[in-house]
Amino acid sequence: MDANILIVDDEPEIADLVEVYLKSEGFTVFKFSTGTQALACVHSQHLDLAILDVMLPDISGFTLCSEIRKEYHFPVLMLTAKVDDMDKITGLTIGADDYITKPFNPLELTARVKAHLRRYTRYNEPNKPADSRDILDFNGLVINRATHECWLYDKPLNLTPIEFDILWMLFEIRGQVISAERLFESVWGEKYLDRNNTVMVHIRRLREKMGEPSRNPRFIKTVWGVGYKID
């Protein structure tokens, strides 16, 4: 799998270890220790995925992620030394697709990188023909799985691959409730763990992009204690 991957971490041992594992998989790696250097790389190179440490010597990984999300949609994975849920929620809220807590298994990180790249590749696959099963239309919300495009009242929604997959899954089983556990395991392809707020934060981001009020959303409904649905 050919891909250009950005690594930003001011701990040389960690950055070098991640670089070794990713290069062994055939990836091209751009490695930096500061957010300022990394941001210059983002604007000068074609990147397919970024791995950002939260704690950097100049700007934080959160700030760097926010800057990336202003223009780019490639997957962003956050590395955090904290186990605090708020640190994870912050990363997801500002546009990160996933997070990994230090210390981590390099093989697990590599597996997650591959999974996000596969999703991103599908998301950006050009000229893929669509049939009627690839397009869903409901009350002004249109989603096209073949082109990975989505419109709300004829205005395009700027969705990340993760957000698109969540919305498609909810849309495809419209009227049925799906649990956060099932959503997570289907979209992320990993085992759901207790107190995992990842799905909740991504649902919140989807609602914000759709201009949905959190208390009385028109499309994505919360069924308390059960899960989510579109109806």
Side-chain angles (χ1 to χ4, degrees), residues 160-197:
T160 67
I162 286 278
E163 292 164 351
F164 186 94
D165 284 354
I166 291 173
L167 188 59
W168 176 269
M169 190 166 189
L170 288 168
F171 214 152
E172 194 172 33
I173 58 170
R174 189 166 66 246
Q176 301 178 44
V177 181
I178 184 171
S179 67
E181 177 179 358
R182 184 181 162 202
L183 257 178
F184 182 85
E185 293 183 351
S186 297
V187 172
W188 276 264
E190 299 176 21
K191 182 67 178 175
Y192 181 87
L193 301 176
D194 290 341
R195 301 181 69 245
N196 189 330
N197 296 302

Side-chain angles (χ1 to χ4, degrees), residues 6-10 31-41 52 55-60 64:
L6 173 67
I7 301 173
V8 192
D9 198 310
D10 64 341
K31 182 178 63 175
F32 301 97
S33 60
T34 70
T36 303
Q37 293 171 323
L39 195 55
C41 177
L52 314 179
M55 302 298 294
L56 295 172
D58 50 355
I59 61 176
S60 74
L64 179 55

